[in-house]
Amino acid sequence: MSGRQKWKNLIVYGVCFLGTLFMIPNFLSEDQLAELPEFLRTSQMRLGLDLQGGSYLQLQVDMSSAVQDRFAGYADEVRILLRQKKISFSNLTIVKGESPSVVFEVLNDQDAAKAEAELNKLPNMITRVDGKRLTTQLRPHDLLTLRQSIINQSISIISRRVDQLGTTEPEVTAQGTDRIVVQLPGLKDPERVKGLINKTAKLTFHKVEARINNVQAQNYRATPGTRLIAEDEGLDGIPTAYYVISQNPVLTGDNLIDAQQGYDTQHNQAIVSFQLDGPGGRKFADVTRELALLPKDDPRKQFAMVLDNKIISAPAVQSEIPNGQGQITGNFTIQSANDLAVLMRAGALPATLSIMEEKTIGPSLGSDSIKAGQFATILSITAVMIAMAVLYGVFGLIADIALLFNTILLLAGLSIMEATLTLPGIAGIALTIGMAVDANVLIFERLREELKAGKKPQLALALGYDKAMATIIDANITTIMGALLLFWFGTGPIRGFAITLCLGISVSMFTAIMLTRLISEKWIDFRKNKPVTI
């Protein structure tokens, strides 16, 4: 045996051994897994929603409002640029719609061309002139990019929120241009997650100008730079009081580094502790120093923390807080404090979300799906193995051995990838098992022809593999191309099917070409010069 052949054999033995090693953890209990090395403990397939049970949510992103909110920043850029270039204008407004725009009029005719030239220098913007009236809006490509960024940011924030609840491998994906699908396998409290996902979680910190009662609030007229906001609602659903706070926030959730649920043993209540970044911490210190100097009974000593336009806490500041650390107190339970900490850490959603579809799959249904999938897979393996043994005798049994290792290596590959196994994935496994022997059928038919032609067994085997190789490669490449298209254009379970199919075909190429050839050569060598039949 040549050195090259020895290396080929060692590679085949090594791949089969490692495949078996990485496949085994999927069938061990938690106690048995704890005794394995770290790299094996983490190499497991995950069960998808349809197999494990859990919750499915389809969310609609309020794209129009989100785009308009982002576009308000562009409007400020237009206003600042016009003032810098000393272009007189009036009636600058934002026109809402799918593609919002800034519309204004220049006071002098000669300024129209100048304004158009300057505004067209702004990145991502295009400006049209109609007499004295100018319209500025995002370029179509940049509008699509903005909409995609809103979807991507929403997915990222939702993922961070549900990840921190300990949910088993949540899956958050985009669907279409303005919808998001959230799959939460094994979730036991869907209402809690819906509450977390559905909150925009826009956190801001404001100075307090005054605290007034319900009667005063009815006749209150906001002064410039302030706004009225309700305190927590009472049992009857009516706010207990109102705060007059600064219109512009002193700090926002963008300055937040961390937030954790804690417990105040002195007052026996749950709290949320937070940490601000450097600039936020310095601003926080300046504001608290200023508020601490006010008289004890002055309502302006309070510092309001507002979440989604509701005051969650408004403590009176007694002294400067120099390190950017603070606490939020209120009528929190441990769970509600933890939920608030999760929302603060994950950040604010860029858009409002609406639940369009909700499904809950029970564990019993998932268990039934697993049993059905196992039965289908075992049945397909058994049927194929019997057929191969009947049609090709000993060589059929060799193909059966390769089929077993094909299944082992396929499961090992999915485990290493930490893939999520779904019903379509099981269908892909069953289909791959049926297709795995196609190559062997082609090879064995070629081998049969060469033996009938009087070739010696070793030569007939080599010719059988060589002549069938081109057909095998062509057939598998076309199937892989179809699977790749499914993965590229599909979503969710369709992608799972495509991944399983691609991996299964790749593994079947290895087992059908290299493993069966190795075993067949060993079998022919074992029989020495005795005739071989197939």
Side-chain angles (χ1 to χ4, degrees):
M1 183 185 295
S2 67
R4 183 179 178 185
Q5 186 61 42
K6 286 181 180 179
W7 276 110
K8 283 185 177 181
N9 293 351
L10 285 175
I11 289 172
V12 173
Y13 296 143
V15 170
C16 292
F17 172 75
L18 290 175
T20 305
L21 191 65
F22 279 97
M23 180 272 296
I24 289 174
N26 292 288
F27 302 95
L28 299 181
S29 65
E30 291 293 333
D31 294 336
Q32 292 170 326
L33 284 172
E35 299 177 3
L36 295 178
E38 176 71 21
F39 73 95
L40 285 178
R41 286 203 303 270
T42 57
S43 298
Q44 284 185 285
M45 290 185 296
R46 305 189 298 261
L47 295 181
L49 182 67
D50 49 1
L51 299 180
Q52 189 179 165
S55 290
Y56 170 97
L57 299 173
Q58 186 183 102
L59 308 172
Q60 174 84 46
V61 180
D62 187 358
M63 192 63 70
S64 178
S65 297
V67 170
Q68 288 167 19
D69 289 343
R70 295 282 185 94
F71 199 76
Y74 294 117
D76 290 336
E77 287 187 45
V78 171
R79 187 180 289 107
I80 291 170
L81 180 62
L82 293 175
R83 288 172 179 169
Q84 288 176 343
K85 300 302 178 181
K86 297 181 180 180
I87 298 174
S88 301
F89 63 95
S90 64
N91 302 326
L92 190 148
T93 57
I94 297 177
V95 178
K96 298 180 180 181
E98 287 296 319
S99 178
S101 58
V102 176
V103 178
F104 65 94
E105 293 182 1
V106 293
L107 300 183
N108 301 315
D109 292 336
Q110 60 270 26
D111 283 340
K114 180 181 177 182
E116 180 187 15
E118 293 296 337
L119 290 174
N120 279 331
K121 294 178 183 179
L122 290 175
N124 312 326
M125 308 293 286
I126 185 171
T127 300
R128 298 190 304 274
V129 180
D130 183 11
K132 290 185 177 182
R133 184 183 177 89
L134 284 85
T135 302
T136 299
Q137 58 188 167
L138 285 172
R139 299 178 191 275
H141 172 74
D142 295 304
L143 179 61
L144 289 175
T145 302
L146 174 60
R147 294 169 68 92
Q148 187 60 50
S149 71
I150 291 170
I151 288 287
N152 292 340
Q153 186 180 353
S154 299
I155 289 174
S156 176
I157 291 171
I158 292 172
S159 297
R160 289 202 298 268
R161 290 183 183 182
V162 296
D163 277 344
Q164 296 179 61
L165 291 179
T167 305
T168 304
E169 302 300 340
E171 184 176 347
V172 185
T173 55
Q175 187 176 79
T177 58
D178 60 354
R179 294 202 176 187
I180 296 173
V181 171
V182 182
Q183 297 187 64
L184 305 166
L187 183 68
K188 297 180 180 179
D189 189 2
E191 292 300 322
R192 181 185 178 196
V193 173
K194 283 196 296 182
L196 282 175
I197 290 175
N198 224 14
K199 286 187 177 179
T200 307
K202 185 177 182 180
L203 179 69
T204 52
F205 298 77
H206 299 257
K207 288 183 178 180
V208 174
E209 300 297 328
R211 185 173 185 271
I212 59 179
N213 58 36
N214 293 346
V215 176
Q216 292 171 316
Q218 292 176 3
N219 302 316
Y220 177 79
R221 285 190 174 184
T223 56
T226 66
R227 64 187 176 105
L228 194 65
I229 189 169
E231 198 177 20
D232 289 340
E233 297 178 351
L235 296 176
D236 55 1
I238 300 175
T240 54
Y242 289 82
Y243 282 95
V244 180
I245 64 173
S246 59
Q247 180 70 39
N248 298 321
V250 176
L251 293 166
T252 68
D254 295 337
N255 298 110
L256 196 69
I257 293 177
D258 191 23
Q260 297 291 336
Q261 177 265 324
Y263 200 81
D264 185 351
T265 54
Q266 183 178 353
H267 298 94
N268 198 31
Q269 62 179 355
I271 61 171
V272 177
S273 303
F274 62 86
Q275 173 69 55
L276 299 171
D277 60 15
R282 289 189 291 272
K283 185 67 174 177
F284 193 59
D286 293 341
V287 174
T288 53
R289 185 190 313 116
E290 176 188 336
L291 298 182
L293 297 175
L294 295 173
K296 183 177 181 180
D297 297 329
D298 193 329
R300 292 177 299 168
K301 283 183 73 69
Q302 292 180 282
F303 197 32
M305 302 174 191
V306 180
L307 182 71
D308 290 346
N309 211 35
K310 290 183 179 179
I311 287 186
I312 55 174
S313 184
V317 178
Q318 305 300 335
S319 60
E320 177 188 346
I321 305 175
N323 54 10
Q325 295 180 345
Q327 292 182 348
I328 301 176
T329 59
N331 297 320
F332 295 130
T333 62
I334 292 178
Q335 178 172 305
S336 63
N338 184 63
D339 289 351
L340 177 57
V342 167
L343 290 171
M344 292 172 67
R345 286 196 302 269
L349 283 167
T352 303
L353 303 176
S354 304
I355 297 176
M356 304 301 293
E357 183 182 355
E358 177 186 358
K359 292 188 292 188
T360 301
I361 300 173
S364 59
L365 181 58
S367 177
D368 292 342
S369 299
I370 293 175
K371 291 177 181 177
Q374 288 175 339
F375 177 76
T377 304
I378 293 171
L379 183 62
S380 63
I381 292 175
T382 305
V384 171
M385 290 178 72
I386 292 173
M388 291 300 292
V390 170
L391 291 172
Y392 300 106
V394 174
F395 287 96
L397 293 175
I398 292 173
D400 291 343
I401 294 172
L403 183 61
L404 289 176
F405 274 101
N406 179 82
T407 307
I408 290 171
L409 294 177
L410 176 55
L411 295 177
L414 293 172
S415 300
I416 293 170
M417 295 165 60
E418 297 183 21
T420 300
L421 185 63
T422 61
L423 278 176
I426 292 178
I429 293 174
L431 177 60
T432 299
I433 290 168
M435 297 172 62
V437 294
D438 284 354
N440 290 125
V441 170
L442 290 171
I443 293 167
F444 293 159
E445 289 297 331
R446 285 287 187 179
L447 174 59
R448 181 178 282 168
E449 291 175 5
E450 298 300 332
L451 289 172
K452 285 182 179 179
K455 301 288 195 311
K456 290 184 178 181
Q458 286 285 12
L459 179 59
L461 183 66
L463 290 173
Y465 274 91
D466 293 342
K467 290 182 177 180
M469 190 63 64
T471 306
I472 293 170
I473 292 174
D474 288 346
N476 284 298
I477 285 178
T478 53
T479 307
I480 288 176
M481 288 173 61
L484 289 175
L485 289 174
L486 282 177
F487 179 82
W488 185 264
F489 293 105
T491 59
I494 302 300
R495 283 191 161 192
F497 174 81
I499 290 172
T500 307
L501 187 57
C502 279
L503 182 60
I505 291 170
S506 303
V507 168
S508 71
M509 292 275 285
F510 169 80
T511 56
I513 296 171
M514 297 187 70
L515 182 59
T516 58
R517 185 165 188 170
L518 171 62
I519 300 174
S520 298
E521 287 174 348
K522 295 294 183 184
W523 167 250
I524 292 174
D525 288 343
F526 174 75
R527 291 180 60 84
K528 298 183 179 179
N529 295 322
K530 293 180 182 179
V532 172
T533 58
I534 182 170

